[in-house]
Amino acid sequence: ARSRTVGELLAPTSPFDKKCGRENWTVAFAPDGSYLAWSQGHRIVKLVPWAQCLNNFLLHGTKNGANAVSTRLPRQSSESGQKNKPCEHIIDCGDIVWSLAFGSSVPEKQSRCVNIEWHRFKFGQDQLLLATGLNNGRIKIWDVYTGKLLLNLMDHTEVVRDLTFAPDGSLILVSASRDKTLRVWDLKDDGNMMKVLRGHPNWVYGCAFSPDSSILCSVGASKAVFLWDMDKYSMLRKLEGHHNDVVACEFSPDGALLATASYDTRVYVWDPHIGVILREFGHLFPPPTPIFAGGANDRWVRSVCFSHDGLHVASLADDKMVRFWRIDEEYPVQVAPLNNGLCCTFSTDGSVLAAGQDGSVYFWATPSQVSSLQHLCRMAIRRVMPTSQVKNLPVPCKVVEFLCYQI
């Protein structure tokens, strides 16, 4: 089935605009759904209020949505009373932007941080931050409501390829870099760098927190998929199965599954608690043989993300296609065309998929399917129990099977 197009936001062009540097490597939604941010290329990040953006798509159609947003949205007022009113911003980050992440002191899930001491920046309940990872290794932290620069973090020595905030509202930020390290920052402590996570033999491409903020997944070159204990800052395990660089990862909403995307033309869905591959989504048929395990260049998978219902995974590959998969089916349930796609993510409510390409963003409606009773039960139990605990429940074996994600 063909996915329904919702709209598009096109980057401005000029006759002298160079193609190089226009890549949109990252797109992100604020945790509360208030903002959409993406890198337009050439150092520029665009922030737009998401609700107004959707309204303009409905009013003006998908093709005119971008122009409507750029002309109709009010600019940020200097008056303090306008602080929390979503307004459009254009931020010049000073270098090519490779990664974005929104952070908030309001927990997305139940918080596990305690007794936070306040420092130079008082992050209140209305605070919304945007972290930008740059080509020169710096990370700049911005106030979303005012567009002002708050912090400039300078410890990485290479490109900051990905950023992720802990979902618990602690404002712990993790950065993944081509310098082969991950760094853990505490923004509530003036951006103090708490820890350096070493172990990757090569570039680190991506990182993602589990929903309860206890586990971090990092992926990189040389087939690397690592899981880290974020209480002890130690490596839990390595997941082995990919045949080429792994470039993206994301946990399911219940934390029971992990999706990883690789240049080996595959997306794997893992049970991260036991290190088993539960599902393989192939983008090349027949799949590449072991001797050519790297896969064809025009089938490399660039990005993967989990829907908020935990039932669907979206992937974006170099074959000019966006695919929506059900976690319990072998073939895509919906597809959409996209040239030169580089990144994708679901909106906060899960109704829309955003994908970035050459400074622009394209949007599709996500598959709308009713979850089975089994899936709802699994989601409920797996939010609070890892695989080992579910298997040890004092219930009949058939019930245990019913509550587990199976191969």
Side-chain angles (χ1 to χ4, degrees):
R2 186 78 169 263
S3 297
R4 178 174 63 86
T5 302
V6 173
E8 57 189 36
L9 295 174
L10 304 178
T13 58
S14 68
F16 308 105
D17 205 0
K18 294 181 181 179
K19 182 74 169 176
C20 180
R22 282 298 300 275
E23 295 87 0
N24 176 1
W25 290 105
T26 177
V27 59
F29 288 93
D32 62 359
S34 58
Y35 275 95
L36 165 74
W38 77 99
S39 59
Q40 288 193 334
H42 302 310
R43 317 186 315 186
I44 301 300
V45 169
K46 185 81 172 280
L47 276 159
V48 297
W50 176 236
Q52 290 177 254
C53 185
L54 272 181
N55 287 337
N56 279 312
F57 289 149
L58 295 173
L59 289 172
H60 302 277
T62 61
K63 295 298 181 185
N64 297 324
N67 295 330
V69 169
S70 61
T71 56
R72 286 173 168 269
L73 294 183
R75 292 287 179 176
Q76 174 67 45
S77 168
S78 59
E79 298 176 16
S80 59
Q82 295 290 318
K83 181 181 178 184
N84 292 329
K85 183 179 179 181
C87 296
E88 177 182 335
H89 292 295
I90 294 177
I91 297 174
D92 187 341
C93 295
D95 204 348
I96 294 173
V97 180
W98 283 85
S99 50
L100 292 173
F102 281 98
S104 170
S105 54
V106 180
E108 295 176 41
K109 308 290 181 186
Q110 185 177 359
S111 178
R112 66 187 188 91
C113 60
V114 292
N115 195 24
I116 295 298
E117 181 184 352
W118 301 103
H119 289 266
R120 179 161 47 122
F121 296 104
K122 185 176 181 181
F123 295 110
Q125 291 297 297
D126 61 346
Q127 191 77 38
L128 185 61
L129 307 178
L130 180 70
T132 55
L134 307 181
N135 192 67
N136 58 12
R138 295 191 178 190
I139 302 167
K140 292 187 176 181
I141 311 297
W142 310 83
D143 184 320
V144 171
Y145 298 127
T146 64
K148 292 181 179 178
L149 179 65
L150 298 178
L151 294 168
N152 194 356
L153 311 178
M154 301 179 290
D155 272 286
H156 282 297
T157 57
E158 290 284 348
V159 171
V160 180
R161 191 62 187 83
D162 199 14
L163 295 165
T164 183
F165 276 96
D168 61 8
S170 61
L171 288 181
I172 298 297
L173 175 70
V174 175
S175 54
S177 172
R178 286 184 182 174
D179 64 13
K180 307 179 186 178
T181 68
L182 297 126
R183 293 172 192 257
V184 185
W185 313 83
D186 185 355
L187 299 195
K188 282 185 174 175
D189 188 13
D190 298 344
N192 176 50
M193 190 183 69
M194 302 164 58
K195 198 72 178 177
V196 180
L197 303 180
R198 305 182 189 275
H200 278 268
N202 215 313
W203 291 0
V204 190
Y205 278 103
C207 54
F209 269 102
S210 63
D212 65 358
S213 305
S214 65
I215 298 174
L216 180 83
C217 176
S218 63
V219 297
S222 306
K223 315 173 191 177
V225 182
F226 295 169
L227 296 179
W228 306 85
D229 182 329
M230 294 307 287
D231 288 319
K232 301 176 181 177
Y233 299 113
S234 60
M235 190 181 296
L236 283 172
R237 63 173 56 88
K238 299 178 183 179
L239 303 182
E240 298 182 353
H242 279 297
H243 303 286
N244 202 335
D245 294 357
V246 190
V247 294
C249 61
E250 188 164 53
F251 282 90
S252 62
D254 59 4
L257 302 175
L258 172 70
T260 57
S262 170
Y263 288 164
D264 65 10
T265 75
R266 299 170 175 93
V267 167
Y268 286 153
V269 178
W270 308 76
D271 183 328
H273 302 284
I274 57 176
V276 172
I277 298 171
L278 300 178
R279 178 70 64 182
E280 175 184 323
F281 298 135
H283 295 65
L284 178 64
F285 301 97
T289 57
I291 197 169
F292 297 112
N297 290 4
D298 62 350
R299 295 294 190 277
W300 283 3
V301 187
R302 293 280 179 179
S303 186
V304 67
C305 54
F306 250 105
S307 67
H308 293 244
D309 61 6
L311 192 61
H312 295 93
V313 172
S315 66
L316 191 155
D318 283 349
D319 61 356
K320 304 178 182 179
M321 296 291 287
V322 177
R323 293 172 173 85
F324 295 92
W325 313 77
R326 272 182 63 113
I327 60 171
D328 53 359
E329 293 185 13
E330 188 176 354
Y331 299 103
V333 292
Q334 287 186 15
V335 297
L338 179 68
N339 291 333
N340 304 321
L342 295 171
C343 59
C344 65
T345 188
F346 283 96
S347 60
T348 307
D349 65 0
S351 63
V352 172
L353 181 79
Q357 168 251 4
D358 292 341
S360 302
V361 193
Y362 299 84
F363 304 92
W364 295 273
T366 58
S368 180
Q369 296 179 332
V370 177
S371 298
S372 66
L373 176 62
Q374 180 186 26
H375 183 69
L376 294 173
C377 290
R378 282 188 304 206
M379 289 275 288
I381 196 74
R382 295 312 301 272
R383 286 182 190 278
V384 296
M385 284 189 178
T387 306
S388 58
Q389 291 184 21
V390 173
K391 290 189 173 181
N392 290 329
L393 285 173
V395 296
C397 293
K398 286 292 183 183
V399 177
V400 172
E401 290 180 14
F402 186 80
L403 294 175
C404 286
Y405 293 98
Q406 303 292 332
I407 297 175

